[in-house]
Amino acid sequence: MKVTASEVVTKVLPKPKEDGPVVVIPTEDTLDARLLLEFFDVSKDDVLRQEFAKGVLLKSNGTNVKVSPKAEMLLSSWGNKWIERLQTADAVHPGPYFYKDNALWEALRLYDDTQGAFLISTKPTKQKGQFGICNQGVLTIDRPTDVLNDGKHGWSQCSCAVPSRHAANANSDNPFAGWRIAVKDAFDIQGTRLSMNNKAYLQLYPPAKSTASSIVDFVEGGSCILGKTKLSSFLSREEATESIDFQAAWNPRADGYQTTGGSSSGSAVAVAAYEWVDIGVGTDTNGSIRRPAQCNGVFGLRPSQGVFPQDGMFTVFKTFDVPGIFARDLDKLATFATKWYAPQAMKESANNLTPKIILPIDLLPKEDTPQKKIVLAFLQDLESFFEIEADRIDLEALWAQAPPEKANGQGMHQYLEEVGKNTFLYANYHSGAAFRKSYQERLGKKPFVSKFVEWRWKVGSTISQKDHEEAMRRLEVYKDWFLNDVMEVGKRNSFVVMQSEDVTPKYRDDLPPSVISKSIHMDKYVLKQDLENTTSSLLGISGGSHQY
């Protein structure tokens, strides 16, 4: 096990003891063997080990603590050299430390990022809310920082530092104490640079002076921010072969060579691969939480649009862009989400409304695929739980029966045909305008971006503001129709069950769509409205809805 340390407190004891690993144990009157074994239970803390029992500091409320004979024997068998009573410094939390020159240094365990999920690893500085970089190389900040890479894998692999669960959980007054979190490198975190997975962007801008509003509560509120994770550059839908500046993360599922999905790939991989990561934070525009969750076999949650402010978060289409989270465990996902944004989300509660289950049958594959069977089996469970039958609807047929007046008689697909391109790609192009201009002015050349990003910007540059405004108007018409006629928002508590995409093996070395059929396939892949993703994204702007 590899460890590093951060200084916590000096002048611990009136008379210095032998330097080495120590453990701070909370107790009241007597330290017995049972309490000792519970405290050192590795299932409760992955940092504390018996080796730290060389020195023992008993933390009490001022009483004269006794150590039972059985506890003394147990500690002796673990190599204990000395035991002292610690009656100072509330800042000294329970857990493992290193004792040197009568000072305590908090022990942090180093985990190697073997799946390449992280761009940088971080740990807090002494200035509240500010972070230092744990590994050297390209991603550095303008001050000396600790080096946590083990030196065996070059500088392409991070080592992440995690604190003891005992130490983190001791701060019970803070709702985020103890949570270990990986954050997508699309958010500003004070003291770190933003890369957007692109070296030109990383080169241009200094470290952030503040933290994004959507994540500041847990960043500055006692959680352990492990580092910033990889993504598809500029929130694009790149595949692994298109990730040029930084190698794409490695999916831990199946044979280890499947695609990770995008754009929040690194955060999903971190959660899927490492038990020492509790929550992965990403963003979602039109599938960037949903697809990585599916590809890496974890739960993903895309909150409603408007719950969080967008400052400090990179956006490409503000109408759809939201932060989101990943977790391996659904209960943990729900617990964190409740702490994170329950007060905002509960402003418009639908709990007292009659439930309604909706299955858009025209968005299901016609063939009886294994994935379709799982979706329908889940639907049956949902029907049994609510004791109601799902409304199986054909969206296009429902639109044809009672089309919105503003659609002027056009069918749904005809009405929406250019909406995806003229809304999203127009906004995507203009979201990068300041970066392209600043880079050109400062370095006298265009920034290097992947061909997929370049293609998106090229298409976006051809769209007029007039066409964009018309597409946004049509999107609003479709949104109002879907929320009012399909979901009956405000009247029913609706659950929409959808299949996000056909799941088949997709290898990380598969050629991207742009190469398979030159521009033809890419046109179908992006330019035509992706009804499934847009429909599910609209669920996130309906107010009080959440997507799993």
Side-chain angles (χ1 to χ4, degrees):
M1 184 176 81
K2 298 183 298 181
V3 294
T4 185
S6 293
E7 188 175 14
V8 175
V9 65
T10 60
K11 299 181 180 178
V12 178
L13 299 170
K15 187 177 180 180
K17 293 289 184 179
E18 181 181 350
D19 290 347
V22 301
V23 60
V24 175
I25 303 175
T27 186
E28 292 302 325
D29 299 322
T30 303
L31 176 63
D32 58 31
R34 179 188 58 80
L35 188 151
L36 200 57
L37 289 170
E38 287 181 359
F39 192 74
F40 277 82
D41 185 348
V42 294
S43 68
K44 297 179 180 178
D45 186 14
D46 55 346
V47 180
L48 181 61
R49 290 293 184 271
Q50 294 175 4
E51 289 80 0
F52 283 97
K54 179 181 177 182
V56 173
L57 288 168
L58 300 176
K59 184 178 181 180
S60 70
N61 59 5
T63 59
N64 188 18
V65 180
K66 297 179 182 179
V67 181
S68 73
K70 287 186 177 180
E72 285 184 339
M73 290 177 59
L74 189 58
L75 287 170
S76 179
S77 70
W78 293 346
N80 178 253
K81 300 295 184 183
W82 54 268
I83 302 174
E84 291 288 345
R85 278 70 178 171
L86 179 66
Q87 299 180 6
T88 61
D90 291 337
V92 181
H93 297 305
Y97 292 84
F98 290 98
Y99 178 81
K100 181 175 175 58
D101 298 332
N102 206 20
L104 282 181
W105 299 68
E106 182 184 10
L108 306 171
R109 180 171 182 174
L110 300 181
Y111 281 105
D112 284 340
D113 176 25
T114 55
Q115 300 298 124
F118 289 86
L119 280 163
I120 57 171
S121 54
T122 60
K123 73 176 184 180
T125 66
K126 290 184 178 181
Q127 182 177 342
K128 182 181 177 182
Q130 189 157 327
F131 285 77
I133 308 303
C134 295
N135 57 299
Q136 289 182 329
V138 176
L139 295 167
T140 58
I141 61 175
D142 300 331
R143 64 174 182 273
T145 56
D146 295 325
V147 180
L148 297 188
N149 188 285
D150 64 5
K152 296 178 181 178
H153 304 88
W155 297 113
S156 62
Q157 184 186 79
C158 300
S159 289
C160 295
V162 303
S164 163
R165 297 279 189 187
H166 289 301
N169 294 334
N171 190 11
S172 57
D173 293 338
N174 195 308
F176 296 105
W179 289 89
R180 298 172 179 174
I181 303 173
V183 179
K184 179 179 182 178
D185 195 26
F187 295 90
D188 284 341
I189 295 180
Q190 185 181 7
T192 69
R193 294 183 186 275
L194 188 71
S195 77
M196 292 307 301
N197 224 64
N198 175 268
K199 288 185 177 180
Y201 196 93
L202 175 68
Q203 180 184 12
L204 188 62
Y205 297 109
K209 294 181 179 180
S210 60
T211 296
S213 295
S214 57
I215 65 172
V216 70
D217 283 352
F218 60 78
V219 170
E220 297 185 0
S223 67
C224 173
I225 303 301
L226 300 168
K228 302 182 79 174
T229 57
K230 294 176 181 176
L231 61 151
S232 301
S233 65
F234 297 102
L235 309 186
S236 65
R237 198 170 177 170
E238 292 172 339
E239 297 298 336
T241 52
E242 298 172 293
S243 187
I244 305 302
D245 284 340
F246 302 98
Q247 185 184 46
W250 292 79
N251 191 330
R253 305 303 187 188
D255 58 6
Y257 283 87
Q258 298 302 304
T259 184
T260 56
S263 64
S264 306
S265 50
S267 292
V269 167
V271 165
Y274 308 135
E275 291 187 0
W276 43 272
V277 179
D278 297 321
I279 294 290
V281 178
T283 65
D284 190 296
T285 307
N286 212 23
S288 293
I289 289 288
R290 290 157 279 175
R291 190 162 181 259
Q294 174 178 279
C295 290
N296 296 279
V298 296
F299 294 101
L301 173 62
R302 181 192 196 276
S304 298
Q305 211 279 342
V307 170
F308 294 104
Q310 295 177 328
D311 62 286
M313 181 182 83
F314 192 92
T315 61
V316 291
F317 186 33
K318 290 183 181 294
T319 303
F320 281 2
D321 287 320
V322 294
I325 53 175
F326 303 101
R328 291 182 305 278
D329 179 84
L330 187 57
D331 287 338
K332 185 171 286 188
L333 185 86
T335 299
F336 185 85
T338 300
K339 295 175 183 290
W340 186 25
Y341 70 92
Q344 299 97 309
M346 291 302 106
K347 289 179 182 177
E348 298 182 24
S349 176
N351 292 337
N352 297 324
L353 302 178
T354 303
K356 175 183 179 179
I357 305 172
I358 302 166
L359 178 71
I361 57 176
D362 47 338
L363 301 185
L364 284 173
K366 296 180 180 179
E367 302 80 14
D368 259 346
T369 64
Q371 184 186 9
K372 181 179 178 180
K373 291 178 180 178
I374 293 173
V375 171
L376 294 179
F378 173 77
L379 179 71
Q380 288 182 337
D381 288 344
L382 204 58
E383 289 176 319
S384 298
F385 179 79
F386 285 109
E387 298 181 341
I388 59 174
E389 186 175 346
D391 290 352
R392 291 162 169 79
I393 63 172
D394 184 315
L395 289 174
E396 190 167 15
L398 187 64
W399 175 288
Q401 291 172 11
E405 183 179 345
K406 294 180 180 179
N408 298 320
Q410 287 185 296
M412 184 175 69
H413 285 284
Q414 180 186 7
Y415 186 71
L416 298 175
E417 184 175 6
E418 297 294 317
V419 168
K421 171 173 73 75
N422 291 348
T423 56
F424 173 69
L425 291 184
Y426 174 92
N428 189 297
Y429 168 72
H430 288 281
S431 72
F435 160 63
R436 294 190 297 269
K437 180 181 178 181
S438 297
Y439 194 90
Q440 178 72 45
E441 290 176 350
R442 187 175 302 180
L443 288 96
K445 60 182 180 180
K446 293 181 179 180
F448 180 89
V449 297
S450 70
K451 290 190 180 299
F452 186 68
V453 172
E454 185 178 26
W455 178 85
R456 275 188 164 182
W457 288 349
K458 182 178 180 181
V459 174
S461 69
T462 66
I463 301 168
S464 68
Q465 183 176 349
K466 180 180 178 181
D467 287 343
H468 171 67
E469 290 173 352
E470 170 62 18
M472 290 297 295
R473 187 189 68 80
R474 293 190 178 208
L475 181 63
E476 196 69 21
V477 169
Y478 175 70
K479 168 193 166 184
D480 290 342
W481 172 81
F482 188 84
L483 300 182
N484 294 323
D485 290 24
V486 179
M487 291 187 67
E488 298 183 87
V489 170
K491 300 177 181 178
R492 304 288 293 273
N493 185 12
S494 296
F495 299 82
V496 182
V497 178
M498 297 175 58
Q499 178 175 316
S500 60
E501 66 176 273
D502 294 332
V503 174
T504 57
K506 294 181 176 66
Y507 282 88
R508 61 184 288 122
D509 64 341
D510 285 349
L511 293 177
S514 56
V515 176
I516 295 173
S517 298
K518 295 185 179 179
S519 63
I520 299 175
H521 189 90
M522 185 175 280
D523 285 349
K524 293 180 179 179
Y525 185 64
V526 178
L527 288 184
K528 293 243 181 234
Q529 177 61 24
D530 185 344
L531 184 58
E532 294 91 340
N533 277 347
T534 297
T535 297
S536 57
S537 291
L538 284 172
L539 302 183
I541 59 175
S542 63
S545 67
H546 316 282
Q547 296 175 57
Y548 291 91

